[in-house]
Amino acid sequence: MSITGIEAPAVEVRGLVRDFAVKGGPPRRALDDFDLAVAPGEVHGLLGPNGAGKTTLCKILSTVLLPTAGTARVQGLDVVADAKRVRPLLGIVFGGERGLYARMTAAQNLRFWAALYGHGRREGRRRAAELLERVGLGPRADEAVETFSRGMKQRLHLARGLVGDPRVLLLDEPTVGMDPVSAHEFRDLVEDLRAEGRAVLLTTHDMAEAEALCDRVSFIDGGRLLRCEDPRVLGELLSRHERVRASGVPEALAARLAALPGVERVRATGPGAVLVETDRGGAALPVLRTLVEAGVTDVSTAPPSLEEVYLHLIGDRGMAVRP
Ligand SMILES: Nc1ncnc2c1ncn2[C@@H]1O[C@H](COP(=O)(O)OP(=O)(O)OP(=O)(O)O)[C@@H](O)[C@H]1O
Ligand SMILES: [Mg+2]
């Protein structure tokens, strides 16, 4: 809390720029005049294609990378000038293999990090046990991390991110490598973190995950903020532009599908294989019905791709997508 009683934003980014030197060429602008605000207790999604600048942003916020220009603050503290005071406020989960001690057990890893955060031995043990339970690793607490699967390591990363009791969590693709059940449990965990008043900045490629979890979603591409939206907008786009895939579809049937209301286009994806794109909520249903009634059995539905959702989001504002 500040002196005025108004809590500072958990994360506040203004005009952030980050250039990387590129051998024999002009610098690469990974972040370009980027703005972002995350309120305390908010779960904020950061959605964007590969190379959009998401990890670069997370690294600047976590004080391991310096911005080229602009400012970034965590609970009112500047990540460059006040880096030392910022670090204890943060829980960071970058995932992958790095940062885990493979030969140590899960519990030993957590106790080690608890000690780094200044917890005493007893408190460290208590926190380690509690967090391992929380991420579903209780039964494997005393096994070496090198025996863990990818998803289990990812869970341990999550526990590690929570060990310092952070007010702000930076989660960079936290569910990569998790099975659907683990990903579901992860959602419950994020709900708990929100209920505890922690802010979460969550990077993901998974639009359904973003829609289910986030209070707001920022779309980033080419280092720029494209739009910041209520996730319901995302949900609407996902259902409005649902796709139907089918194979064993004769040409005449494909033509009939194309004429159905709400069908945007029918693309041939192989001999007799089609991808039907819709642009109206519920339009996939008559497509499915028509296919099934015509005796087609190989039919499935899928949400639109991230690229498509982008096109629709940006198209709405008449902006051009970067190549
Ligand atoms: N150390 C570096 N040196 C040069 N270029 C870099 C460096 N780190 C990142 N970049 C570039 O910055 C851009 C943004 O990368 P970043 O890792 O932030 O993307 P991202 O949104 O996290 O992508 P992904 O979804 O693949 O994780 C990319 O063009 C990347 O190649
Ligand atoms: Mg990344």
Side-chain angles (χ1 to χ4, degrees), residues 105-116 121 124-125 128 142 163:
T105 68
Q108 284 168 340
N109 267 277
L110 277 184
R111 284 183 220 139
F112 172 73
W113 292 313
L116 281 187
R121 243 178 102 86
R125 276 183 180 274
D142 296 317
V163 89

Side-chain angles (χ1 to χ4, degrees), residues 31 70 162 225 256 284 321:
L31 284 175
L162 289 168
L225 176 71
R256 266 176 58 208
V321 187

